[in-house]
Amino acid sequence: RAVITGADLVAAGMPPLPPGAPCRRADGSACATPPRRALAHEVVRHVGEAVAAVVADSLAQARDAADALVVDYRELPVVASLAAALRADAVVTPAAPDNIACEARHGDAAAAQAAFAQAAHVVALDLTHQRLAALTLEPRAVRAAWDAARGRLDMHASTQMPTALRATVASALGLTPEAVRVRVGDVGGGFGMKTGAYPEDVVVAWAARHTGRPVRWSGERGEEFLSTTHGRDVQAHAELALDAEGRMLALRVHSHANVGAYALATGVAIQLLIGPWVQTSVYHVPVIDFHFRAVLTHQAPTGAYRGAGRPEAIFNIERLLDEAARQSGIDRIALRRRNFIRPEQMPYTNPMGQTYDVGRFERVLDQALPLADWDGFAARAQQSRARGLWRGLGIATFLEWTGGNAFEESVTLEVKSDGIVEVFSAVNQMGQGIATSLAQLVVDVLQVPIERVRVVLGDTERGNGFGSAGSRSLFTGGSAMRGGAEHTLAQAHQLAASALEAAPEDLRYQAARFHVVGTDHAIGLFELAGRQPGAHIQVEHTHTVAGPSWPNGAHICEVELDPQTGAVAVVGYTSVNDVGRVVNPLIVRGQLDGGAVQGIGQALCEQILYDAASGQLLTGSLMDYAVPRAHELATCFRTEMDESTPCANNALGVKGVGELGTIGATPAVVNAVADALARAGRPELAPRLQMPLSPARLWALLQSQG
């Protein structure tokens, strides 16, 4: 039906995709990034960047036609790694001859230097946060159909943020946002990777309008490894200064983040702004000196991936704390207690200007230690030693920021005469069970059976909002749903008073019926709806929460290390998590454990690798990219929630939970391996640990001298 190239789209007037990176270069100029087009035009900047699209009646025809295409490439100098970018052997864009897209500084460098000069203990680590693939169960997919008579585009997509997708597609095609409808069904995993629009989404939409035929595209697993945004990829130098008693004086972190061939807004903001918001974590740190740079390379762009900058930040400080404990001789638990922000300091503003509303961090730690049988570790270590294995115990105490700084959400509730309460929200279902939680909130207020609640999500024709990202679905979307249900009940209360010819204060509501106190007069909620114009009661409600939430936890990991092979087994994982009020414990537990598994995967086995000479992807399939297996972790979790400190920034008292487990797992696991090495008489190896702690890498480290 059509063969489309980048030149075709440029000729049609399609602009580059919006960069939107929020930071600047050191000289004050705008963030430097090449123009990113839906199909590469004149220059291809990373393996996996699409250069042409074929539209055909069948997949076989499309593949045959794609195989027949010949692209005339002229090889250009390649910036194949972060190290090569910093050497500036070649450049990704002339706007950044040093390959630094932009940078950010936070804190007071002079004050930090003075604090380090007077410190009794200084610990420094070079830390690698390797590049990761989000690896959703369902690859990206998009379908578009053009209605020429109405001038409207109808899209179905596997996305976390349909409103953002609508805006990008509309801009690319020269349409108003109202002329584009995006619908989202159940999404088979997002993990941040499915936020915003991809080039393929824009190309499919353009192809549908160009051909007049419905067009669909589904990514294959290999394409997902090549072309989706990756996560992490940061090299950090972190230093911590403490006084003789172990109290923190200053924290210094300088890092380089490989943002790939295009400095996307998310990739830059995550590393230069969002991660730093939690860099001091649950500890009182008087002075900071942060310097972060976003670096361009000829690799796929980075963007949001579960945790989005907070795992990197928490890993930095938790690794520093354990190393400081080893070097100073101060017990690592005592060291944490000594530096915790106290409850009486709340609300507490950290050095990045972020205000924690509530938090009782020592209380969470006090619950985690006995749950993990911390004091019984020595006996377990002796049993492992008898089997030739080294056992280690790791801990991370931490918090995270949630809400995406998108604090407003709108919902629609409709009580229908047929006995259904239909509710709509712009947050999305992507495997985290949010539809169930939203339905529960409606049930709590309207007192109807849950099977009577129909939750509708992901349709820009019904409503628009930020979507699901930043662990905001229940925190913001749920708060809006609860408020909407309460407004619906209040409106129904007034309507019932009129229908029953009674004063509103004489009515009582129970089990979806309004009763006149002291009489047998009553009317059901759905009967009441049937008497209204349109046979329904409808309420549109917009709700704003007061600020972000700050969930926190204490995660403890036990590992066994085989010194003969370097293999690490996670034999115990215990966590206590302050996530505020819990609506559905089963869902929350699944989020916590699922997040921890992804963090364990980063710690032990996952890594995207490119060839350092050519920029070719080496880990382009599940034959090459290792992920945790269910049988390795299925029995090792002990997970508890502490509901005693509800969030003060929303009516529900809930705190975001979707990313918390991912953030605590990586430092807990790596600290456990470091502890195993130290207990086995090799403490000098602990500072040299770098993720992923694969058997080959650990075996080589164990064989090294000095």
Side-chain angles (χ1 to χ4, degrees), residues 75-79 89-91 298:
E75 189 172 330
L76 300 175
V78 61
V79 183
D89 298 337
V91 297
H298 287 127

Side-chain angles (χ1 to χ4, degrees), residues 67-426:
D67 288 342
L69 293 177
V70 177
V71 183
D72 184 14
Y73 288 111
R74 177 168 60 88
E75 189 172 330
L76 300 175
V78 61
V79 183
S81 67
L82 182 59
L86 295 176
R87 291 194 306 267
D89 298 337
V91 297
V92 177
T93 177
D98 54 3
N99 292 316
I100 307 297
C102 53
E103 57 186 278
R105 303 200 74 140
H106 309 283
D108 187 329
Q113 182 58 39
F116 273 88
Q118 67 178 15
H121 305 288
V122 173
V123 59
L125 291 172
D126 289 308
L127 300 168
T128 298
H129 308 269
Q130 76 273 33
R131 181 174 281 241
L132 301 175
L135 203 66
T136 56
L137 182 67
E138 172 191 68
R140 290 175 295 136
V142 60
R143 174 192 179 276
W146 173 251
D147 185 337
R150 300 174 61 211
R152 287 181 56 83
L153 185 71
D154 189 14
M155 299 183 71
H156 290 78
S158 179
T159 179
Q160 297 173 228
M161 302 174 72
T163 298
L165 174 59
R166 180 184 77 158
T168 301
V169 169
S171 175
L173 272 62
L175 302 171
T176 65
E178 293 73 25
V180 180
R181 181 183 188 182
V182 177
R183 283 181 278 180
V184 179
D186 289 333
V187 175
F191 307 133
M193 178 268 282
K194 292 180 182 174
T195 55
Y198 278 89
E200 292 90 344
D201 302 322
V202 174
V203 172
V204 167
W206 191 89
R209 188 170 69 168
H210 177 68
T211 63
R213 300 291 297 271
V215 177
R216 65 173 179 165
W217 173 84
S218 297
E220 297 180 354
R221 186 63 63 191
E223 291 172 315
E224 295 295 89
F225 276 111
L226 283 167
S227 302
T228 61
T229 53
H230 296 150
R232 320 287 193 249
D233 206 345
V234 181
Q235 297 285 343
H237 179 74
E239 299 175 277
L240 182 63
L242 305 102
D243 66 16
E245 286 74 41
R247 289 183 177 84
M248 296 182 186
L249 300 175
L251 175 66
R252 187 156 52 200
V253 181
H254 295 178
S255 72
H256 292 93
N258 176 2
V259 297
Y262 300 100
L264 305 185
T266 51
V268 170
I270 284 165
Q271 300 302 340
L272 272 58
L273 187 63
I274 296 173
W277 284 344
V278 303
Q279 182 61 85
T280 56
S281 187
V282 294
Y283 310 110
H284 176 65
V285 181
V287 181
I288 62 170
D289 173 17
F290 299 160
H291 188 188
F292 306 113
R293 287 174 165 170
V295 184
L296 294 166
T297 65
H298 287 127
Q299 297 180 3
T302 58
Y305 173 59
R306 200 171 191 173
R310 288 95 78 196
E312 296 93 312
I314 297 303
F315 186 85
N316 290 341
I317 195 165
E318 288 300 304
R319 290 284 289 122
L320 283 172
L321 268 171
D322 264 32
E323 194 57 36
R326 267 187 292 275
Q327 294 186 20
S328 68
I330 302 173
D331 177 77
R332 53 185 164 163
I333 300 300
L335 186 61
R336 285 172 167 81
R337 292 188 191 278
R338 207 161 294 173
N339 289 284
F340 278 147
I341 300 162
R342 317 301 302 179
E344 58 270 20
Q345 293 176 271
M346 298 293 174
Y348 174 87
T349 300
N350 73 12
M352 286 293 296
Q354 298 297 304
T355 300
Y356 310 159
D357 57 333
V358 292
R360 293 193 286 177
F361 309 127
E362 191 167 18
R363 173 187 169 85
V364 175
L365 173 64
D366 287 341
Q367 295 173 73
L369 294 173
L371 186 65
D373 190 17
W374 184 275
D375 293 337
F377 175 78
R380 297 191 296 277
Q382 188 174 0
Q383 293 170 0
S384 297
R385 177 70 76 159
R387 293 183 285 112
L389 303 175
W390 299 351
R391 200 175 187 103
L393 186 61
I395 187 169
T397 51
F398 65 100
L399 57 62
E400 84 122 329
W401 159 92
T402 75
N405 273 7
F407 300 134
E408 182 180 283
E409 196 63 69
S410 297
V411 297
T412 303
L413 290 90
E414 184 179 5
V415 180
K416 297 172 174 284
S417 60
D418 62 0
I420 295 295
V421 179
E422 185 173 276
V423 299
F424 175 83
S425 172

